[in-house]
Amino acid sequence: MSSLSNDHVSYSHAVVLFLEAKRAQRLSPNTLRDYERTLRKFREYLPDGDQTKIDQITVLDIRRFMASLPLGRKSLLNVHVGLSAFWTWMTREGLCAENLMKKVDRPRPEIRTIIPFSKDEVEKLLSSLEQSKEYVRPGKKSCAHKIPNQRRNKAILLLLLDTGMRASELCGIRFKDFIDKSHVRVYGKGGKERVLPLSPSTINAIDEYVKWERPPAKSINSYVFVTKTGKQLKACDLYHRILKIGERAGVHAHPHRFRHTFAINFLRNGGDIYTLQAILGHSSLEMVKRYLAIARVDIETAHKRASPVICWALS
């Protein structure tokens, strides 16, 4: 039995201890923020708030809390994951008699259709980086203006497309993470490290951005992609910037769509699922198999268009 054992420990005290334990494990800041947000919301839902004791909470309380949240399936699943991590830790530490979350069914994950970019769409995105759409001001001819940070935005789009990395991984890249200018080290979920190869075009785009647009870096620990004031570019900022680029280009664009495009084209061009799993940093093959299914459909469709036996109706 843990020295923390106490049948009447308060929920708030248990949360403090849990977050301290997870910080000691060096979980990512994003994971810690998600845990803290979920546990705060649950505390606000409880009738006695900070005064609630762990042994007073029931399975019904948790189910009603989750049912009350106006969230989509993916966000609700994240809530379940956070509460499960909390109750698993409390059970192990002896702060509660049983893991209540084992009796709370996981929300069914939302399976979204995966639609990669076409070559034409990517070219439209890249072409929209320099100038705004034409617009008319009162009493003047239609005009357009130059878009700031075009070199940075080009480097970002090529890097996402070239590696399939996540938006948060791109935003976390520091100068010290580049290895002999042909590879970059990124840190994925759970702080897992992997090294990704870069194409010459992507390296050149990053060099052009650093040379002509980026504020001077203070050290090799500086983040590569920054705002005009030199602050680290956040994943949410990156999402909105890519959304705006897509709006100018007439293309539905978000960071994860570049990841999908990389993965499907990797398989289309002969890559294997195990190497792809390593490149993307997936812990299982579940998502990679979805990419493989799409790539196989593409191959079968291309075969139907190209096969002389089918096209010439030979029998």
Side-chain angles (χ1 to χ4, degrees):
M1 181 68 71
S2 166
S3 59
L4 295 175
S5 178
N6 186 338
D7 291 340
H8 301 290
V9 67
S10 71
Y11 172 83
S12 294
H13 184 53
V15 168
V16 170
L17 296 175
F18 168 74
L19 293 175
E20 285 178 353
K22 294 308 170 183
R23 289 189 191 97
Q25 283 183 247
R26 294 296 186 268
L27 295 191
S28 74
N30 287 339
T31 300
L32 290 170
R33 276 195 296 272
D34 285 344
Y35 284 165
E36 192 167 5
R37 188 183 305 114
T38 293
L39 296 173
R40 184 182 67 250
K41 285 182 179 178
F42 186 49
R43 183 199 66 209
E44 292 169 354
Y45 173 82
L46 293 170
D48 296 328
D50 289 338
Q51 305 305 314
T52 304
K53 305 298 183 184
I54 289 297
D55 59 0
Q56 294 175 326
I57 300 172
T58 67
V59 172
L60 188 58
D61 290 329
I62 299 171
R63 287 175 180 159
R64 284 176 173 168
F65 165 66
M66 294 186 64
S68 72
L69 297 173
L71 302 174
R73 291 183 186 179
K74 184 175 181 180
S75 297
L76 194 59
L77 183 58
N78 289 339
V79 170
H80 190 282
V81 168
L83 291 175
S84 293
F86 180 52
W87 253 273
T88 298
W89 175 84
M90 286 197 298
T91 305
R92 189 176 65 245
E93 294 291 334
L95 295 179
C96 60
E98 63 174 330
N99 187 343
L100 300 183
M101 291 304 296
K102 289 186 176 181
K103 298 180 180 179
V104 180
D105 294 334
R106 287 167 60 93
R108 292 183 180 181
E110 189 173 10
I111 300 176
R112 298 180 179 178
T113 304
I114 296 173
I115 304 175
F117 290 118
S118 65
K119 181 183 177 183
D120 180 61
E121 286 177 320
V122 171
E123 289 175 344
K124 286 180 179 178
L125 290 171
L126 293 172
S127 297
S128 71
L129 297 178
E130 294 187 14
Q131 286 193 323
S132 69
K133 286 184 176 181
E134 286 197 356
Y135 56 91
V136 179
R137 291 181 292 180
K140 296 186 178 182
K141 293 181 179 180
S142 63
C143 61
H145 63 265
K146 284 191 174 182
I147 301 293
N149 300 308
Q150 56 182 272
R151 290 186 176 89
R152 183 198 63 187
N153 293 340
K154 180 179 180 180
I156 286 173
L157 297 193
L158 290 182
L159 186 55
L160 289 172
L161 193 64
D162 198 21
T163 64
M165 67 174 64
R166 301 176 179 93
S168 58
E169 293 168 350
L170 182 145
C171 292
I173 294 174
R174 302 172 190 261
F175 283 98
K176 67 179 181 180
D177 294 322
F178 286 97
I179 304 170
D180 60 32
K181 295 209 73 174
S182 61
H183 293 77
V184 65
R185 182 185 295 107
V186 297
Y187 298 90
K189 293 183 177 180
K192 292 179 182 177
E193 175 187 326
R194 62 190 195 281
V195 175
L196 306 175
L198 301 173
S199 71
S201 294
T202 300
I203 294 168
N204 182 63
I206 295 171
D207 286 343
E208 287 288 301
Y209 155 61
V210 172
K211 182 178 180 180
W212 297 107
E213 282 186 1
R214 193 196 182 284
K218 294 181 179 179
S219 72
I220 60 171
N221 286 315
S222 299
Y223 292 104
V224 175
F225 295 102
V226 296
T227 64
K228 63 181 180 181
T229 58
K231 293 183 179 179
Q232 180 194 11
L233 191 66
K234 301 293 186 181
C236 58
D237 296 327
L238 179 59
Y239 178 88
H240 290 299
R241 291 173 194 276
I242 290 179
L243 198 65
K244 287 184 178 180
I245 292 170
E247 288 173 354
R248 287 200 302 272
V251 175
H252 176 59
H254 56 80
H256 222 67
R257 199 174 175 196
F258 289 90
R259 186 168 167 87
H260 295 329
T261 303
F262 168 81
I264 290 170
N265 279 275
F266 181 88
L267 294 171
R268 282 173 178 166
N269 293 308
D272 67 274
I273 59 173
Y274 299 104
T275 302
L276 180 60
Q277 180 186 8
I279 291 173
L280 296 180
H282 283 305
S283 57
S284 73
L285 284 172
E286 183 179 350
M287 188 64 202
V288 178
K289 286 178 179 178
R290 289 188 65 197
Y291 291 135
L292 181 61
I294 293 170
R296 281 176 174 166
V297 169
D298 292 339
I299 291 169
E300 290 176 6
T301 302
H303 176 260
K304 289 176 181 177
R305 290 197 303 264
S307 169
V309 174
I310 296 174
C311 294
W312 298 342
L314 299 177
S315 60

